[in-house]
Amino acid sequence: MPHFYAECTENIREEAKLPELFSKVNQALADTGIFPQGGIRSRAIWLDTWQMADGQQDYAFVHMTLKIGAGRSLEDRQTVGEMLFALIKAHFADLMAQRYLGISFTMEELDPVLNYKSNNVHNLFKAKK
């Protein structure tokens, strides 16, 4: 953990530049020092069917979710949330200036007991330290 999801309407697939956003998000999360780098993942979920508002315009939206493991303080979660949303808004600023676009972001803390994982990537980053 953390895992970053971007649900994005198909009509902005190229303009959204999600690989660039994911690179920025992953680096920002690693730079916080509160998440293990080997657990950081970003992914896109492309929506080919949607309706937004009255459906009369070529609307688009991106809804992003950051899922994190339990145990970080509210202060740390707020700091990360505000930092990521500022990064997200900056990333989409030009696109928002060109078209109707909704962006939203939420953070979810996963249950500390009912959350199962297995990951050998962590060993790579532990060895580098």
Side-chain angles (χ1 to χ4, degrees):
M1 293 272 118
H3 292 198
F4 182 78
Y5 298 77
E7 261 182 278
C8 193
T9 57
E10 181 67 35
N11 60 339
I12 57 170
R13 183 179 281 264
E14 297 303 318
E15 299 92 335
K17 300 178 184 171
L18 291 186
E20 291 177 27
L21 175 63
F22 293 164
S23 181
K24 294 173 197 173
V25 165
N26 284 23
Q27 188 62 57
L29 290 171
D31 289 348
T32 67
I34 64 173
F35 300 108
Q37 190 166 14
I40 299 171
R41 297 184 182 101
S42 292
R43 64 193 68 132
I45 302 166
W46 291 103
L47 305 172
D48 64 1
T49 307
W50 74 93
Q51 182 168 331
M52 186 173 170
D54 60 5
Q56 300 302 307
Q57 302 290 327
D58 185 29
Y59 303 116
F61 70 83
V62 183
H63 174 69
M64 291 141 291
T65 303
L66 181 68
K67 294 186 180 189
I68 64 171
R72 277 82 180 187
S73 69
L74 176 59
E75 181 179 77
D76 281 348
R77 287 181 284 148
Q78 284 181 307
T79 299
V80 168
E82 290 167 8
M83 176 269 299
L84 277 186
F85 196 53
L87 184 154
I88 289 164
K89 289 191 304 184
H91 178 82
F92 287 106
D94 290 342
L95 186 56
M96 187 170 266
Q98 299 168 17
R99 64 172 302 120
Y100 294 113
L101 176 66
I103 58 173
S104 55
F105 170 70
T106 188
M107 186 184 306
E108 298 176 7
E109 185 177 45
L110 300 176
D111 187 282
V113 177
L114 302 174
N115 181 14
Y116 307 92
K117 313 182 240 316
S118 179
N119 179 348
N120 66 2
V121 178
H122 292 294
N123 297 333
L124 172 67
F125 293 97
K126 287 178 184 173
K128 289 183 177 182
K129 288 184 178 185

